Amino acid sequence: MQVTFILHSSFFVELDQACLLFDYYEGTIPETDKPLYVFASHCHGDHFSPAVFDLAQPGRPVQYILSQDIWESRVPQELRAQTLFVAPRGTYEVDGLKIATLRSTDQGVAFLIECGGKRIYHAGDLNCWVWDGAPRYQNDQMVQQYQEELRLLSGKELDLAFVPLDPRQGPDFDLGMRYFFEAAGARRVFPMHMWEDYSVVPLFKADPHYKDYAPHVMDVSRPGQVFSFE
């Protein structure tokens, strides 16, 4: 299994029998001749680009799994038969891939995928969006909503997870990652949505409160990084 960090929240996961591409909007995508499954968690410009449709070349099997807030009209007519639109809190199966969705705390969905004996979670914009200066009741509601959604991951024994660690949240940048570990955790967790400020990764890992989580957090530090695992 190999994971390539492309940019922002976009990752390319190569498994034995297939490849998964998450939330691509720009950057270099590894080449592959394996079946490719392209996921987009929602329509925001930093998570989805119509450029993904250029990946569907003759003789190359590509399937698109898109959040339903992405308009069907954005999909080329000839690729709509290869496109599945998904809603929050849904379950789907595509070519043996089992897909469940969670409801984002921003827009669209998060993905929980079972493929080739691996269980993979990509949060999209499902995060604990607490902001300094926001009304207390609003931040409290956000924490409650986020924790409630994460309960759907409890007991899932995740192999890979891609979770926001957003420096724009200032002193609360760690909350989404913290609550994710408290609810579920994963063997390997890739921080994302960092807006190219990768300093939050060592900052999180150095916090003594998170010493049990730190070994599971991957040191994402630059686009194009490749992580290989058994």
Side-chain angles (χ1 to χ4, degrees), residues 48 53 66-81 83 85:
F48 168 75
F53 300 122
L66 310 180
S67 172
Q68 66 178 6
D69 67 301
I70 298 172
W71 294 348
E72 184 178 354
S73 61
R74 303 194 75 179
V75 182
Q77 183 71 43
E78 65 273 16
L79 296 179
R80 291 181 187 174
T83 303
F85 291 95

Side-chain angles (χ1 to χ4, degrees), residues 64-177:
Y64 297 92
I65 301 94
L66 310 180
S67 172
Q68 66 178 6
D69 67 301
I70 298 172
W71 294 348
E72 184 178 354
S73 61
R74 303 194 75 179
V75 182
Q77 183 71 43
E78 65 273 16
L79 296 179
R80 291 181 187 174
Q82 298 164 230
T83 303
L84 172 67
F85 291 95
V86 298
R89 299 283 186 95
T91 56
Y92 308 86
E93 188 163 342
V94 180
D95 301 336
L97 270 75
K98 295 181 179 179
I99 303 165
T101 57
L102 287 71
R103 187 182 308 278
S104 177
T105 46
D106 185 356
Q107 188 161 342
V109 302
F111 293 107
L112 176 62
I113 301 154
E114 292 185 37
C115 178
K118 303 296 183 183
R119 192 169 282 145
I120 299 167
Y121 169 70
H122 189 284
D125 266 355
L126 173 55
N127 187 33
C128 191
W129 296 116
V130 166
W131 300 100
D132 189 26
R136 174 68 179 272
Y137 78 89
Q138 180 177 307
N139 283 337
D140 287 348
Q141 286 177 350
M142 173 56 64
V143 170
Q144 181 179 0
Q145 183 182 352
Y146 182 62
Q147 291 179 319
E148 180 179 339
E149 205 63 25
L150 289 183
R151 290 192 187 100
L152 299 175
L153 300 177
S154 179
K156 297 298 185 184
E157 297 185 358
L158 303 173
D159 294 287
L160 298 178
F162 304 92
V163 179
L165 195 65
D166 195 319
R168 301 174 304 165
Q169 292 183 265
D172 297 312
F173 81 98
D174 59 327
L175 289 185
M177 186 71 75

Side-chain angles (χ1 to χ4, degrees), residues 163-220:
V163 179
L165 195 65
D166 195 319
R168 301 174 304 165
Q169 292 183 265
D172 297 312
F173 81 98
D174 59 327
L175 289 185
M177 186 71 75
R178 169 191 160 188
Y179 293 139
F180 168 77
F181 271 106
E182 290 178 354
R187 290 179 63 199
R188 299 180 178 93
V189 180
F190 290 82
M192 65 177 191
H193 213 274
M194 294 179 285
W195 300 99
E196 300 186 75
D197 178 2
Y198 306 109
S199 65
V200 288
V201 179
L203 188 62
F204 180 88
K205 295 180 71 169
D207 190 319
H209 295 95
Y210 303 140
K211 61 182 177 63
D212 292 337
Y213 306 153
H216 301 279
V217 177
M218 300 295 99
D219 291 314
V220 176

